[in-house]
Amino acid sequence: APEEIAWDGIDDTGKHVPDGQYTATLNVSYVNGNTPQAVSNPFFVDTSVPQIDVSSDALLFSPTADSKLAAVTIKQSSSDEDLWEGEMRDAGGKHIRGWFWKGKAADFSWDGKDENGNLMADGYYTYVVKSQSKGGTTTTKQLSGIQIDTRPTPVYVTAGSDGFSPNGDGFRDTMSFNVIVSLKDGVKSWKLAMVEAAAGEQKSFGGTTAVPATVTWDGKDNAGIKAAVDGLYTAVLTVEYFKGNVATAKSTPFRLAVTPPKVDVSIGPLPFSPDNDGVNDELTIGLKVDDPVPVDSWSITILDPEQHPFTSFAGKGAPTEQIIWNGTSSTGELVQSAEDYPLTFTLKDTLGLTTSVQKTIPVDILVIKDGDKLKVRIASITFQANTPDYVNVDADKAAKNASTISRLAEIFKKYAKYKIQIEGHANLINWDNPAKAKVEQDQELLPLSKKRADAIRDALIAQGIDAARITTVGVGAAEPIVPFSDLDNRWKNRRVEFVLVRQ
């Protein structure tokens, strides 16, 4: 018998035998009749080639705390073999870390560390996997381009100011944000969200392109139709990288406001009576401001009954809670009796939002001490033109006439020991022509002012004032208190004065 026999896996019919486990049986027949037999150890016929597919959803990763891809996941689908051997190599082909599987190669994750637990340097790595079949056939596959990138990814966002008011008035209608991204390459997506403290996100910007250095917000919400809700906002920047890092930053808080400041104005006591008698001589103007935005400036304007400026108050920053007014103008002129003085309080905050509130200051009948006399000056009794008729005038004026006369009667009853002289005064139209002025005074104003004084006398008597206390005189234009050439203020000359003399 030969010392060895080589078998090529072909059966007696000339075909390849199936893959599997085989044994060789040796039979020997001797002349003396002995027939010994021997059986070999099992051996395999294996004509297959090890099969494996290797892949990864992401080759770039960042084994850092702020990364969503702190490891690379290797996916493997293989045939069943005695042993699969995996190996991670650096760019120079040096062995970094190994893995072994019996049967099928399994999926696994690599955290970027070597076999001693040391984090590898940033760079490119290659995964190699191989196996040898029972028949000696070897298969090797590799996955190249695995990249570790641990570079830091700090980002910053700053608001251009502490607030804005997108109401279309041309003042602080937009807000700009400066955006700084330290690592510009490898950005997967970015988002800049405008988040209100209570209502949450109202507007966002974003994209998959390069992060812009500046973003400007017009104050509209995500629908782009209306302004976002008023409130305190923070701009939140989020930058996601392909390597898995997610960098975030927040701006300092800023305010969006389109609602004007809420203000409340109270005045008292009313009616106001600054005649130095110790009763209601000072007007208290109460101011309340409700505005989350700091106040820039404020003003109070008081007009005379003819809508001309009378006096004003103003300041920067928040106003005081109370302002005391003594009833005089900026030039020292005292308010007129029984007149209404319009007050306007205007407040502007630092975002340019403005609120105005109007009030009316009704002035009482003022009894002014003049030497040993008391005087009451009334410019608010309205007569029909060129007549002493104060009843058949506009309804509002007639009602005010009646109220004024009623109030005069109340006051004169308190001064029962005083005689009352009623003086009628008028305006001179022809003040710039002496000849015409004299004719106007003698023929028109003197008789007209006397008739008007008499009409008021009759009204007071009807209110219960003793007729014996009252005398009347028509002064006409003889005693103006304002030059007739002062067209804005000469209305004050058209008045009725009451002189009270102690009996």
Side-chain angles (χ1 to χ4, degrees):
E3 290 187 359
E4 63 179 34
I5 296 174
W7 179 43
D8 58 6
I10 302 299
D11 66 11
D12 291 339
T13 64
K15 296 180 180 180
H16 285 284
V17 298
D19 286 3
Q21 181 177 300
Y22 289 80
T23 55
T25 302
L26 173 63
N27 293 288
V28 179
S29 295
Y30 285 88
V31 174
N32 64 5
N34 290 336
T35 57
Q37 185 182 67
V39 179
S40 71
N41 292 328
F43 61 91
F44 290 87
V45 172
D46 186 0
T47 61
S48 65
V49 176
Q51 300 293 322
I52 188 167
D53 291 321
V54 182
S55 64
S56 178
D57 291 336
L59 297 177
L60 174 63
F61 72 111
S62 179
T64 55
D66 64 340
S67 176
K68 294 195 296 185
L69 290 174
V72 62
T73 298
I74 308 296
K75 296 181 178 180
Q76 303 184 114
S77 177
S78 73
S79 56
D80 197 338
E81 307 295 339
D82 284 345
L83 182 66
W84 285 98
E85 180 182 355
E87 179 185 30
M88 194 66 68
R89 300 173 181 174
D90 64 16
K94 179 182 177 182
H95 173 86
I96 299 300
R97 189 171 176 179
W99 295 265
F100 300 92
W101 301 273
K102 291 183 178 181
K104 294 184 178 181
D107 298 346
F108 70 100
S109 294
W110 180 45
D111 58 6
K113 297 177 180 177
D114 63 12
E115 290 176 337
N116 296 318
N118 301 311
L119 182 63
M120 302 308 299
D122 287 4
Y124 288 92
Y125 295 81
T126 299
Y127 171 66
V128 178
V129 61
K130 61 184 178 180
S131 180
Q132 185 176 30
S133 70
K134 295 179 178 67
T137 304
T138 300
T139 294
T140 301
K141 287 286 184 72
Q142 69 179 31
L143 185 62
S144 302
I146 300 172
Q147 183 183 3
I148 295 177
D149 185 352
T150 61
R151 289 178 295 173
T153 58
V155 296
Y156 308 91
V157 57
T158 58
S161 67
D162 59 357
F164 71 126
S165 57
N167 58 357
D169 65 354
F171 181 75
R172 297 181 73 165
D173 282 330
T174 60
M175 174 70 80
S176 293
F177 302 89
N178 294 321
V179 179
I180 299 175
V181 177
S182 300
L183 182 60
K184 294 181 171 58
D185 59 289
V187 173
K188 182 179 181 181
S189 65
W190 66 274
K191 178 180 178 181
L192 183 63
M194 308 300 157
V195 181
E196 201 279 323
E201 181 180 312
Q202 300 294 303
K203 174 67 177 180
S204 65
F205 304 85
T208 56
T209 56
V211 184
T214 303
V215 175
T216 300
W217 184 27
D218 61 4
K220 289 185 171 58
D221 61 13
N222 274 324
I225 300 173
K226 59 184 179 64
V229 298
D230 282 18
L232 192 63
Y233 282 77
T234 303
V236 180
L237 175 64
T238 304
V239 180
E240 184 175 357
Y241 289 83
F242 285 106
K243 65 177 184 166
N245 294 84
V246 179
T248 61
K250 293 181 179 181
S251 72
T252 55
F254 62 93
R255 187 166 292 280
L256 181 154
V258 296
T259 303
K262 294 179 181 179
V263 299
D264 181 60
V265 179
S266 61
I267 54 177
L270 297 178
F272 178 36
S273 177
D275 52 10
N276 203 30
D277 64 352
V279 179
N280 297 347
D281 285 330
E282 292 183 334
L283 183 75
T284 299
I285 305 171
L287 305 174
K288 290 184 178 180
V289 179
D290 181 9
D291 190 0
V293 180
V295 175
D296 175 73
S297 59
W298 62 272
S299 66
I300 293 176
T301 301
I302 299 175
L303 305 180
D304 69 18
E306 295 295 312
Q307 307 300 309
H308 302 130
F310 191 71
T311 192
S312 63
F313 308 89
K316 299 290 288 184
T320 182
E321 292 185 356
Q322 289 187 344
I323 292 177
I324 306 299
W325 183 43
N326 64 1
T328 60
S329 72
S330 55
T331 60
E333 178 187 349
L334 187 63
V335 293
Q336 299 283 322
S337 288
E339 292 284 1
D340 290 338
Y341 283 71
L343 177 150
T344 301
F345 173 60
T346 302
L347 182 139
K348 183 175 75 171
D349 64 25
T350 55
L351 298 183
L353 298 171
T354 302
T355 295
S356 291
V357 175
Q358 284 76 38
K359 292 285 183 177
T360 299
I361 304 172
V363 179
D364 200 358
I365 304 297
L366 304 184
V367 181
I368 307 297
K369 189 172 183 179
D370 185 8
D372 59 350
K373 301 177 182 179
L374 299 176
K375 279 191 174 183
V376 175
R377 181 180 296 161
I378 302 292
S380 60
I381 298 178
T382 303
F383 296 91
Q384 277 197 23
N386 302 316
T387 77
D389 184 0
Y390 63 86
V391 176
N392 297 304
V393 293
D394 290 345
D396 290 345
K397 294 179 179 178
K400 186 172 183 180
N401 287 343
S403 175
T404 300
I405 292 171
S406 177
R407 179 63 176 150
L408 280 168
E410 287 182 37
I411 291 174
F412 292 156
K413 287 174 184 177
K414 294 179 182 179
Y415 292 89
K417 295 181 179 181
Y418 286 77
K419 285 186 174 295
I420 305 166
Q421 177 175 293
I422 304 176
E423 299 177 352
H425 296 261
N427 242 337
L428 187 65
I429 303 302
N430 297 299
W431 55 272
D432 57 347
N433 187 319
K436 288 184 177 181
K438 186 176 187 311
V439 171
E440 182 183 356
Q441 167 73 350
D442 294 342
Q443 298 182 9
E444 297 180 25
L445 300 184
L446 285 174
L448 177 60
S449 59
K450 177 65 166 65
K451 289 177 182 179
R452 287 179 171 175
D454 290 341
I456 301 304
R457 176 181 183 274
D458 294 342
L460 290 173
I461 292 171
Q463 292 277 342
I465 303 300
D466 185 0
R469 294 176 57 197
I470 307 175
T471 59
T472 62
V473 61
V475 180
E479 298 178 6
I481 57 175
V482 174
F484 296 119
S485 58
D486 185 350
L487 302 183
D488 286 338
N489 291 292
R490 68 181 188 178
W491 60 273
K492 299 171 185 176
N493 294 327
R494 190 182 294 112
R495 68 196 188 277
V496 178
E497 288 192 2
F498 303 84
V499 180
L500 281 67
V501 180
R502 194 172 184 88
Q503 301 185 50

